[in-house]
Amino acid sequence: MTSLRIRHRTHYRYREPVSLGPHRLMLRPRESCDVRLSHFHLEISPAAHVTWAHDVLGNAIATATFGAMSDTLMIESVAELELEAVAWPVFEIAASAISFPFRYADDEWTDLGALTVPIHPDPAGRLRDWAQAFVAGPPTDTLALLKDLSAGIPAVIGYQSRDDEGTQSPLQTLDRGWGSCRDFAVLFVEAARSLGFGARIISGYLYNPDDSLLGQSGAGSTHAWAEVFVPGAGWITFDPTNRSVGGFNLVPVAVARDIGQAMPVAGGYVGDSGAFLDMTVEVMVTR
């Protein structure tokens, strides 16, 4: 068990006071059998009215609305939690899904729904063919296939952090040969979906005390990885950026069909188009 404290601060600056629109915040870690949240505090300046709700995938969503104009906006969350995931998990995969290809049960297929459908266009089937190359043959060990797919991404794609918003498409990442953790996660999820798996994007935090892992260092940032649903085992965590399986050093905040649905802070303002100066993000994950 690892006790962690996570501080996430987002600071916006404007040239002049502006009217802040509602901001959608996804900052509260998701609790589970592996993540036990003991404390969560949200501080916002200028003062805001905050309401909470859960979206269709069970993510905790805070909506902040503002009454006063301001030339700054600071949003800071502090979470304290216990991370109980083990470093080398053993997955009890159902007999029907040990070998690939397999068929999801009708109820599983219905509930997975859009999580099995690729989002990004692949008109020539290039991504599908790339993913299919990891299939040793019929049958193939399911877990070995997914591990090979995850490890195969950093084998051909170089890691490069990016501060700008947005994500490359899987084909862009393959063509460019580099990407951020977001791009790695999107490529893995779309490749898994092209093979018929149900897969989803995870946004959260990486515990990286010695800076030996990719995806977060120094002032830090959020991290992105993926989960694939395998009958019997349930959702299995894959971090292609670091070639790891299981969530022993990962703290999930949001799960989503598409990475654009898991932004930690999203909102806007009413004012001059040139009023925005800059935004800084600081993330510290400490024991």
Side-chain angles (χ1 to χ4, degrees):
M1 182 177 67
T2 305
S3 297
L4 298 178
R5 184 177 190 270
I6 301 171
R7 175 179 171 271
H8 184 157
R9 181 176 183 178
T10 305
H11 188 198
Y12 296 88
R13 294 193 308 139
Y14 305 93
R15 298 182 188 276
E16 58 193 32
V18 298
S19 295
L20 298 166
H23 279 60
R24 182 176 183 267
L25 314 177
M26 302 179 76
L27 298 168
R28 182 185 176 94
R30 288 175 63 98
E31 297 182 75
S32 68
C33 56
D34 292 331
V35 179
R36 184 177 303 168
L37 186 64
S38 59
H39 173 78
F40 181 81
H41 176 71
L42 182 63
E43 182 177 347
I44 302 175
S45 178
H49 176 67
V50 178
T51 58
W52 288 91
H54 285 88
D55 67 9
V56 68
L57 291 175
N59 301 306
I61 310 294
T63 301
T65 54
F66 304 87
M69 298 179 69
S70 178
D71 60 0
T72 63
L73 170 60
M74 188 278 293
I75 301 169
E76 180 175 282
S77 64
V78 175
E80 296 177 1
L81 55 88
E82 294 177 351
L83 187 59
E84 299 184 1
V86 297
W88 306 102
V90 175
F91 302 105
E92 299 293 339
I93 297 175
S96 61
I98 289 177
S99 296
F100 176 88
F102 65 87
R103 184 181 185 279
Y104 286 116
D106 290 344
D107 285 346
E108 291 171 336
W109 186 256
T110 299
D111 292 337
L112 288 169
L115 297 178
T116 64
V117 181
I119 295 173
H120 296 272
D122 183 28
R126 289 178 54 207
L127 177 62
R128 183 193 63 235
D129 292 344
W130 181 82
Q132 191 67 39
F134 290 92
V135 181
T140 294
D141 181 271
T142 299
L143 185 58
L145 166 61
L146 293 170
K147 288 180 176 179
D148 288 346
L149 181 61
S150 179
I153 292 174
V156 297
I157 307 297
Y159 174 78
Q160 181 172 317
S161 63
R162 288 191 295 111
D163 293 330
D164 54 310
E165 295 184 0
T167 306
Q168 298 173 171
S169 72
L171 294 181
Q172 286 175 324
T173 300
L174 288 175
D175 288 340
R176 294 172 180 174
W178 58 267
S180 67
C181 63
R182 290 169 289 167
D183 305 316
F184 280 50
V186 168
L187 174 56
F188 175 82
V189 163
E190 289 288 273
R193 288 171 177 166
S194 75
L195 295 175
F197 289 99
R200 61 189 188 183
I201 296 283
I202 314 297
S203 177
Y205 304 105
L206 170 68
Y207 178 51
N208 185 19
D210 57 4
D211 287 340
S212 62
L213 302 174
L214 299 175
Q216 190 177 57
S217 62
S221 63
T222 55
H223 188 54
W225 61 96
E227 290 180 347
V228 176
F229 186 81
V230 179
W235 290 104
I236 299 179
T237 297
F238 294 90
D239 181 5
T241 303
N242 293 296
R243 307 187 188 204
S244 63
V245 181
F248 76 99
N249 60 345
L250 300 169
V251 179
V253 171
V255 303
R257 176 176 50 87
D258 178 53
I259 190 66
Q261 299 172 312
M263 294 180 62
V265 177
Y269 70 92
V270 177
D272 188 274
S273 59
F276 177 74
L277 277 176
D278 58 35
M279 177 190 74
T280 58
V281 178
E282 298 177 4
V283 174
M284 298 300 295
V285 182
T286 54
R287 190 146 186 162

